């Protein structure tokens, strides 16, 4: 249980770091690359990565050594949430490298052909979708683990609020990133 509580604290800090990083990236996009310095973006990325690595390692340990499998069988309604949590986590790791490369390429005002720009936009949108999906299915669980939420009614209310906020932020980020990056590269691409 200590590992789960430690991981919940790291997860909440990671969520705060991700939201700050996404916010900075959106300011960067809306300002045409001028609103946030590249050094600030790298600093925020470093904070997120320094939280993400222990979160991933602790999660792997928990999955391997816990009796979580029995809980999933007893509570089949939790299966979808657990599957979404794990799948979105894996996709975030897979797409993290592509996200970093895409961000570097687009923020350097690199010229790109229509197909390549479209691929970059899709990668960014998919990565943001996985981040916000992971936050949506994980946030209330972290609060429950820490004992901050005890009733199912309160947990469901928090889930709904987080889903609405995450969905809104995903839509905003997808539109703003595409708009901002298109403006930075002179309307090239799609």
């Amino acid at each position: 249980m200590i590992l789960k509580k430690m991981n919940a604290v790291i997860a909440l800090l990671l969520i705060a770091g991700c939201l700050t990083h996404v916010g900075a990236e959106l300011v960067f996009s809306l300002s045409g690359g001028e609103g946030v310095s590249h050094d600030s973006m790298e600093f925020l990325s470093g904070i997120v990565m320094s939280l993400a690595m222990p979160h991933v390692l602790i999660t792997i340990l928990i999955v391997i050594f816990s009796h979580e499998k029995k809980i999933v069988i007893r509570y089949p309604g939790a299966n979808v949430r657990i599957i979404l949590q794990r799948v979105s986590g894996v996709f975030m790791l897979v797409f993290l490298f592509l996200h970093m490369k895409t961000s570097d390429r687009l923020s350097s005002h690199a010229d790109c052909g229509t197909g390549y720009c479209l691929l970059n936009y899709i990668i960014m949108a998919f990565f943001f979708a996985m981040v916000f999906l992971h936050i949506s299915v994980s946030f209330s669980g972290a609060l429950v683990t820490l004992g901050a939420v005890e009733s199912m009614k309160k947990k469901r209310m928090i889930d709904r609020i987080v889903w609405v906020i995450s969905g809104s932020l995903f839509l905003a980020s997808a539109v703003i990133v595409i708009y901002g990056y298109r403006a930075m590269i002179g309307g090239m691409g799609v």
Side-chain angles (χ1 to χ4, degrees):
M1 192 61 163
I2 292 172
L3 270 182
K4 283 189 174 190
K5 286 188 181 221
M6 192 167 68
N7 207 29
V9 170
I10 292 170
L12 292 174
L13 292 171
L14 183 56
I15 288 169
C18 283
L19 292 176
T20 303
H21 180 66
V22 168
E25 191 155 339
L26 296 180
V27 168
F28 183 84
S29 298
L30 283 174
S31 66
E34 304 298 323
V36 179
S37 72
H38 188 69
D39 290 342
S40 297
M41 294 292 284
E42 285 189 3
F43 178 74
L44 288 170
S45 298
I47 290 172
V48 170
M49 290 304 294
S50 69
L51 292 165
M53 289 303 110
H55 177 64
V56 169
L57 293 174
I58 292 170
T59 299
I60 290 169
L61 289 174
I62 289 169
V63 168
I64 291 172
F65 296 112
S66 79
H67 301 285
E68 196 172 275
K69 293 170 193 96
K70 293 177 185 175
I71 294 169
V72 173
I73 293 168
R74 280 190 295 179
Y75 302 104
N79 283 347
V80 172
R81 178 179 227 111
I82 291 170
I83 290 167
L84 287 174
Q85 190 177 39
R86 291 183 182 161
V87 168
S88 62
V90 168
F91 273 118
M92 279 191 307
L93 289 175
V94 169
F95 274 79
L96 181 61
F97 177 74
L98 294 173
H99 166 71
M100 292 186 307
K101 288 297 180 191
T102 298
S103 293
D104 286 345
R105 178 160 175 80
L106 292 174
S107 65
S108 69
H109 308 285
D111 186 19
C112 60
T114 302
Y116 189 72
C117 278
L118 178 61
L119 179 62
N120 287 328
Y121 299 145
I122 291 169
I123 288 169
M124 294 297 274
F126 186 76
F127 183 74
F128 282 138
M130 291 300 102
V131 168
F132 289 121
L133 174 62
H134 198 72
I135 289 171
S136 296
V137 297
S138 304
F139 185 78
S140 66
L143 295 177
V144 168
T145 298
L146 294 172
V149 174
E150 294 179 5
S151 75
M152 285 303 290
K153 184 178 178 182
K154 195 172 187 180
K155 182 183 181 305
R156 280 192 295 273
M157 181 187 69
I158 290 170
D159 282 339
R160 288 183 187 117
I161 291 168
V162 171
W163 275 102
V164 168
I165 291 170
S166 291
S168 300
L169 287 172
F170 166 68
L171 291 174
S173 64
V175 169
I176 291 169
V177 166
I178 291 170
Y179 167 79
Y181 283 130
R182 284 189 68 197
M184 281 190 292
I185 59 175
M188 297 202 57
V190 290

